[in-house]
Amino acid sequence: MTFYTFTENKLRQFTENVFLKMGCPLVDAQLAADVLLKSDLRGIDSHGVARLSGYVRLWEKQRINATPTIKVVHETATTATVDGDGGLGLVVAPFAMKIAIEKARIYGSGWVAVKNSNHFGIAGYHSLMAVEQEMIGISMTNASPLVAPTYSNERLLGTNPMCYAFPAGKYPPVIVDMATAAAANGKLEIAQRSNQPIPEGWVQDSSGNTSINPHQLKEGGSLLPLGSDKDHGSHKGYGLSATVDILSAVLSGANYGPWVPPFVAFLEPPTDPVGEGIGHFLGAMRVDGFRPAQDFKDHLDNWIERFKSAKTVDPDKKVIIPGEPEFAYEQDRRINGIPLIDVVVNDLNELAKKLEIEGL
């Protein structure tokens, strides 16, 4: 296994060129590239440029609309439902979050449900849009059914990530960005590329037995909810995932549960859809709708400092503030570059040949 390091600008230009070749308008290509690069910069390698081929394959199957007409189809003063017209979730979700932020600016909070979209990258990108406006940001999405509910071996839910982001004062934002499954599917993809076993409790085989095989999903297995099994709280992970699915899709009119179209192009969407595309749910709340923003940020700084000073079992390990590792990655990678495994580099160069653009 070999790693190659690329500058942010190099990967950004390459990614923009891929989206332009798909027929995306320049502003959409730049935005989509920004979402993916944010993932790589923050060390979430599973959701960055490594996903480019997947988006292209979906576009080739006419399951992504490169030139969508994104529009509001239902609205009140503080809420809206957006139809993404089959566009890139990387473009549709920021469109919806901007609406949530604008409603919050006027009324204190804004909530937007989205239907007819696609994979939207990392949830943290969209929540951070609100943080930049001194607001609390919330984002979530449903996803391809790979997760079995507690006691089941049937895939009914996605990894269904949710993110809450809070602006701090002198410290980076507190960002709780997580899958509601025991592990994100992207972590399995990383293990597959490096040919490494996965920890117990991430997946089960088709009979419901625990497995450490990273290829288990291809053999009929399923991911497990956060908690892994009932004794360790999988019913809580299942409940969180169900919440994401309901807010993102049952509320918006998107597909939910086992009807969510798969991200991989070699699997066809269900022939009996109950909605349109993939669903998201985004929200923004003005901090000063509850107390002066500076007071909140001062106290969140105090919260961070108290947790950072907590006594630990191992003196060499400190309590980690949610979002802290990703912030450290971003500071480092902006200076020292973004590492990509050779398998990903080879895949991207093959993609470049196919699209007739300059490779890496």
Side-chain angles (χ1 to χ4, degrees), residues 72-156:
V72 174
V73 293
H74 187 85
E75 189 172 23
T76 72
T78 59
T79 66
T81 299
V82 164
D83 184 330
D85 195 26
L88 285 163
L90 307 170
V91 174
V92 176
F95 177 97
M97 181 53 98
K98 285 179 181 178
I99 294 173
I101 290 169
E102 188 55 34
K103 288 180 177 294
R105 198 186 316 279
I106 300 169
Y107 299 106
S109 69
W111 306 93
V112 181
V114 178
K115 66 176 181 177
N116 203 7
S117 186
N118 281 283
H119 191 279
F120 78 175
I122 56 169
Y125 182 94
H126 314 298
S127 295
L128 277 168
M129 289 174 62
V131 167
E132 290 167 1
Q133 305 299 319
E134 289 204 332
M135 298 180 186
I136 295 167
I138 298 170
S139 61
M140 57 190 74
T141 183
N142 68 357
S144 311
L146 299 173
V147 181
T150 302
Y151 296 137
S152 177
N153 64 348
E154 187 177 359
R155 300 178 183 178
L156 294 179

Side-chain angles (χ1 to χ4, degrees), residues 7-62:
T7 65
E8 175 189 351
N9 286 340
K10 174 69 174 176
L11 289 182
R12 185 178 298 276
Q13 189 59 61
F14 176 86
T15 305
E16 285 180 16
N17 288 340
V18 170
F19 287 123
L20 288 171
K21 274 290 185 176
M22 287 172 57
C24 296
L26 177 60
V27 66
D28 287 359
Q30 291 172 334
L31 175 56
D34 195 52
V35 178
L36 294 189
L37 263 294
K38 190 71 166 179
S39 180
D40 282 313
L41 285 168
R42 292 177 66 80
I44 309 171
D45 301 331
S46 58
H47 284 59
V49 296
R51 286 285 173 102
L52 267 174
S53 292
Y55 292 114
V56 171
R57 284 191 289 267
L58 287 176
W59 167 69
E60 289 173 333
K61 297 273 287 199
Q62 298 185 331

Side-chain angles (χ1 to χ4, degrees), residues 103-323:
K103 288 180 177 294
R105 198 186 316 279
I106 300 169
Y107 299 106
S109 69
W111 306 93
V112 181
V114 178
K115 66 176 181 177
N116 203 7
S117 186
N118 281 283
H119 191 279
F120 78 175
I122 56 169
Y125 182 94
H126 314 298
S127 295
L128 277 168
M129 289 174 62
V131 167
E132 290 167 1
Q133 305 299 319
E134 289 204 332
M135 298 180 186
I136 295 167
I138 298 170
S139 61
M140 57 190 74
T141 183
N142 68 357
S144 311
L146 299 173
V147 181
T150 302
Y151 296 137
S152 177
N153 64 348
E154 187 177 359
R155 300 178 183 178
L156 294 179
L157 290 164
T159 54
N160 292 8
M162 57 170 57
C163 177
Y164 292 77
F166 306 90
K170 60 184 178 181
Y171 295 105
V174 175
I175 303 175
V176 182
D177 185 357
M178 64 180 193
T180 54
N185 185 44
K187 290 189 175 181
L188 265 67
E189 293 171 348
I190 290 172
Q192 291 163 11
R193 289 194 288 265
S194 58
N195 201 29
Q196 295 293 317
I198 57 174
E200 287 190 15
W202 282 15
V203 303
Q204 63 183 7
D205 64 21
S206 58
S207 299
N209 302 308
T210 188
S211 172
I212 59 172
N213 177 8
H215 301 280
Q216 193 64 64
L217 297 188
K218 299 174 183 176
E219 299 172 11
S222 54
L223 283 165
L224 292 167
L226 187 64
S228 299
D229 58 38
K230 180 64 165 60
D231 290 340
H232 294 91
S234 70
H235 57 293
K236 299 176 183 178
Y238 165 39
L240 289 171
S241 185
T243 301
V244 172
D245 203 32
I246 293 166
L247 286 174
S248 298
V250 179
L251 189 61
S252 70
N255 289 293
Y256 47 82
W259 290 280
V260 177
F263 179 73
V264 291
F266 62 83
L267 293 177
E268 293 298 323
T271 56
D272 58 342
V274 292
E276 297 177 83
I278 284 176
H280 319 312
F281 187 75
L282 304 110
M285 296 186 290
R286 273 174 47 181
V287 171
D288 64 3
F290 300 90
R291 69 185 303 187
Q294 193 58 53
D295 287 355
F296 172 83
K297 292 192 289 186
D298 289 344
H299 279 277
L300 188 52
D301 284 347
N302 187 52
W303 186 94
I304 291 168
E305 288 170 356
R306 179 62 186 89
F307 275 72
K308 287 298 292 179
S309 66
K311 296 177 182 177
T312 54
V313 177
D314 182 344
D316 292 330
K317 294 182 179 179
K318 299 296 183 184
V319 170
I320 297 171
I321 304 301

